[in-house]
Amino acid sequence: MTQAAFALSRYNVGLASETDFAGWRDAARELALADVSPADVAWTVAEGTSGVFPPPHATRTSPLQVPRDFVRRVETVICHADPQRFTFLYRMLRRLSMEPHLLKIASDQEVRRFETMEKSVGRDLHKMRAFVRFRKIGNGEDARYVAWFEPQHFILERNAPFFVNRFTGMKWRILTPYASADWDGERLVLGQGTSRDAAPADDDAEELWRTYFSNIFNPARLKVKAMQAEMPKKYWRNLPEASLIPGLVAGADKAAKDMIARMPTTPAPHHAKVQARHWPVRPPAKPDMGENAASIPALRNAARDCRACPLWRDATQTVFGEGPADASVVFVGEQPGDQEDIAGKPFVGPAGKVFDQVLEEAGVDRDEVYVTNAVKHFKFEPRGKRRIHSKPNAGEIQVCNGWLTKELKLIEPELAVALGATAAQSLLGKAVPVTKMRGQVIERDDGLRVFITIHPSFLLRIREKADAAAERERFLGDMKAVKELMAAG
Ligand code: URA
């Protein structure tokens, strides 16, 4: 209120502080009972002042009644930074004394303003609880924790009891531009505001906090807009972790991808039981990759305990290759699927069914060929109760190649058939464009010929009936070509 307005008003009210709810309530009641118009009152905050001057004479004979809920809510709204709030709240009080249901009229402009102010203060209270960071000064008995915070509204007094409860055993001080709160472990003292320089800038604990924050930061969850709404930039500079935020936000996309690549898969609950049946003994820390295995059964046995990559953790068991140890052709798939993981056998699920049918039509006897996978453990992501197939990454393919290489060494086939990109990558040691090279035979340095084709699960993903039939026909053609290569020896 300006000096001129102060001088022109018939009544002057002094409030002890910006949040002097009791002072406002008593003055408002006195003024309302005297039927004083809000326009005739000047409200001033000045330490040491209180009361209405000149004292108004009550003209109302009936007691002043306003909903209790309103009075309770005023305790929050009075913390709003709007300098007109005392006048506005007094006007609301007068209206409510005549219209007790006023607060239920959502279309009323003043009710809306009241609600908006209440929400804004509520948000600020919440933000302060979330973003105040104490910095330690002194040690031992003299240790004090000091925080600097810049609230949007006058909320320190209202929030101080929260901090007393939360940090009762700690001696702390919260400084803001308009007031300060000091807790010595026994008494809470509210004092003057100060400038930011009065608060310490850093302490040892901050490095720890920053490390913690960058570790818990989940880039895949990052929504910059939501984050800025929740933690507006103006709060950032007072947070120790704030210096990390721009870097973490900028690197979030890459970090999200890396995180996904690293992410362990988690087993469905019943798998712990199944797994326990298959892993009764704790495996050695350094897994045997079948170095000494002299036969396929010995190699299969060694692979049971494979821990060379983390995929074993969530899979039920190792799914090793199957077929005659002297097969002339080895078919290599990607990795076991859900059903293969449970059965412990390759290609027994939906893709395996298509594979079997096409092989039969092509005249290839599955019992005469060896069927295995580039990766021997099922990699998946849990989604509800389902386990969704997840593609093995280059590292997993490379590590598991140890088993495939040993299988091929022991079997010595004339031909290996790469079913899809993962198999081709494992067999040829590099990524291969399968659709482009499909039907080709590549000879490796060790003389093994590799026939490239698609993975049978591709046929299951085609929605259009006609396209699916055409692709199946092409795959049949590939298998017939394999049959011919087998016959040619
Ligand atoms: N897909 C594969 O690549 N291998 C299997 O064993 C099953 C599905």
Side-chain angles (χ1 to χ4, degrees), residues 293-330:
S295 67
I296 288 289
L299 192 63
R300 176 181 296 116
N301 215 24
R304 283 186 62 217
D305 290 341
C306 182
R307 303 289 193 263
C309 83
L311 294 185
W312 69 271
R313 284 175 207 279
D314 299 330
T316 308
Q317 56 191 311
T318 305
V319 179
F320 207 71
E322 272 193 359
D326 59 351
S328 62
V329 180
V330 170

Side-chain angles (χ1 to χ4, degrees), residues 79 166 254 487:
C79 301
R166 175 68 67 85
K254 185 181 175 313

Side-chain angles (χ1 to χ4, degrees), residues 190-374:
L190 296 166
Q192 300 272 322
T194 179
S195 72
R196 189 169 199 273
D197 314 334
D202 222 330
D203 75 356
D204 300 345
E206 290 199 355
E207 198 48 47
L208 206 65
W209 171 250
R210 270 195 284 263
T211 310
Y212 169 74
F213 181 79
S214 59
N215 279 317
I216 57 160
F217 181 81
N218 183 343
R221 294 246 183 100
L222 180 64
K223 292 192 176 79
V224 176
K225 276 211 179 106
M227 179 165 143
Q228 285 179 353
E230 197 47 39
M231 196 206 300
K233 272 191 171 169
K234 69 180 187 116
Y235 296 109
W236 291 16
R237 66 194 155 116
N238 298 320
L239 302 176
E241 67 270 31
S243 61
L244 298 168
I245 294 174
L248 290 171
V249 171
D253 195 35
K254 185 181 175 313
K257 285 188 189 131
D258 291 350
M259 194 178 87
I260 288 161
R262 279 199 314 269
M263 201 154 61
T265 50
T266 42
H270 74 280
H271 275 263
K273 284 192 206 135
V274 186
Q275 210 177 25
R277 276 210 309 274
H278 287 277
W279 305 111
V281 224
R282 247 194 147 11
K286 187 177 174 303
D288 169 14
M289 290 292 282
E291 284 86 1
N292 302 317
S295 67
I296 288 289
L299 192 63
R300 176 181 296 116
N301 215 24
R304 283 186 62 217
D305 290 341
C306 182
R307 303 289 193 263
C309 83
L311 294 185
W312 69 271
R313 284 175 207 279
D314 299 330
T316 308
Q317 56 191 311
T318 305
V319 179
F320 207 71
E322 272 193 359
D326 59 351
S328 62
V329 180
V330 170
F331 284 88
V332 183
E334 183 196 64
Q335 62 163 347
D338 185 80
Q339 294 193 24
E340 287 81 10
D341 172 74
I342 304 286
K345 289 169 170 293
F347 282 101
V348 294
K353 298 229 159 54
V354 180
F355 180 54
D356 280 355
Q357 283 167 8
V358 176
L359 275 191
E360 199 183 330
E361 283 174 46
V364 178
D365 186 348
R366 179 158 168 180
D367 290 341
E368 282 183 10
V369 299
Y370 187 89
V371 179
T372 190
N373 283 300

Side-chain angles (χ1 to χ4, degrees), residues 332-471:
V332 183
E334 183 196 64
Q335 62 163 347
D338 185 80
Q339 294 193 24
E340 287 81 10
D341 172 74
I342 304 286
K345 289 169 170 293
F347 282 101
V348 294
K353 298 229 159 54
V354 180
F355 180 54
D356 280 355
Q357 283 167 8
V358 176
L359 275 191
E360 199 183 330
E361 283 174 46
V364 178
D365 186 348
R366 179 158 168 180
D367 290 341
E368 282 183 10
V369 299
Y370 187 89
V371 179
T372 190
N373 283 300
V375 171
K376 308 287 196 249
H377 280 115
F378 178 34
K379 182 176 178 181
F380 62 91
E381 278 176 33
R383 206 166 297 155
K385 288 189 176 160
R386 296 177 61 213
R387 303 188 300 166
I388 307 298
H389 164 275
S390 168
K391 223 174 146 45
N393 62 36
E396 289 150 358
I397 297 170
Q398 197 196 345
V399 170
C400 214
N401 178 265
W403 294 114
L404 179 61
T405 300
K406 198 80 207 273
E407 279 175 300
L408 294 169
K409 221 180 220 166
L410 290 168
I411 298 170
E412 294 187 315
E414 280 158 23
L415 185 71
V417 180
L419 299 167
T422 300
Q425 185 169 344
S426 187
L427 284 164
L428 298 173
K430 60 175 187 211
V432 168
V434 169
T435 35
K436 231 163 96 192
M437 293 178 65
R438 174 182 194 169
Q440 291 185 28
V441 178
I442 313 288
E443 191 165 322
R444 302 199 321 184
D445 291 347
D446 62 358
L448 177 66
R449 292 178 305 155
V450 178
F451 182 94
I452 298 172
T453 184
I454 52 124
H455 191 283
S457 65
F458 167 62
L459 304 176
L460 300 170
R461 292 196 297 269
I462 304 170
R463 295 252 166 270
E464 203 51 54
K465 246 184 166 175
D467 294 345
E471 280 302 331

Side-chain angles (χ1 to χ4, degrees), residues 50-193:
S50 66
V52 185
F53 186 80
H57 297 291
T59 52
R60 277 174 72 135
T61 46
S62 56
L64 182 74
Q65 277 185 337
V66 289
R68 201 174 290 168
D69 186 48
F70 169 72
V71 181
R72 184 185 58 76
R73 291 169 72 184
V74 168
E75 281 195 73
T76 300
V77 178
I78 207 162
C79 301
H80 200 281
D82 183 348
Q84 299 302 319
R85 65 193 180 286
F86 306 118
T87 305
F88 167 65
L89 289 171
Y90 175 54
R91 201 163 54 239
M92 286 291 284
L93 177 124
R94 291 220 329 147
R95 286 187 66 192
L96 272 158
S97 69
M98 290 173 281
E99 307 168 62
H101 300 297
L102 174 65
L103 290 178
K104 293 200 172 75
I105 306 172
S107 57
D108 185 280
Q109 261 192 10
E110 290 198 313
V111 170
R112 282 217 302 275
R113 180 178 168 193
F114 183 75
E115 286 171 351
T116 306
M117 290 170 84
E118 186 184 31
K119 272 195 194 129
S120 180
V121 173
R123 268 199 303 274
D124 209 27
L125 286 165
H126 167 77
K127 292 220 161 27
M128 182 174 178
R129 290 174 189 195
F131 301 132
V132 154
R133 296 281 183 272
F134 289 101
R135 283 141 165 124
K136 189 177 169 201
I137 49 173
N139 284 308
E141 278 292 289
D142 296 332
R144 291 274 183 292
Y145 294 84
V146 184
W148 168 253
F149 190 75
E150 292 170 58
Q152 195 182 343
H153 303 295
F154 301 108
I155 54 166
L156 180 62
E157 297 89 328
R158 196 150 166 71
N159 243 349
F162 166 86
F163 289 95
V164 168
N165 268 334
R166 175 68 67 85
F167 304 109
T168 314
M170 201 168 110
K171 293 174 181 164
W172 54 259
R173 181 175 295 160
I174 300 176
L175 308 173
T176 79
Y178 86 94
S180 64
D182 199 287
W183 173 253
D184 64 2
E186 283 170 13
R187 262 174 2 118
L188 178 71
V189 178
L190 296 166
Q192 300 272 322

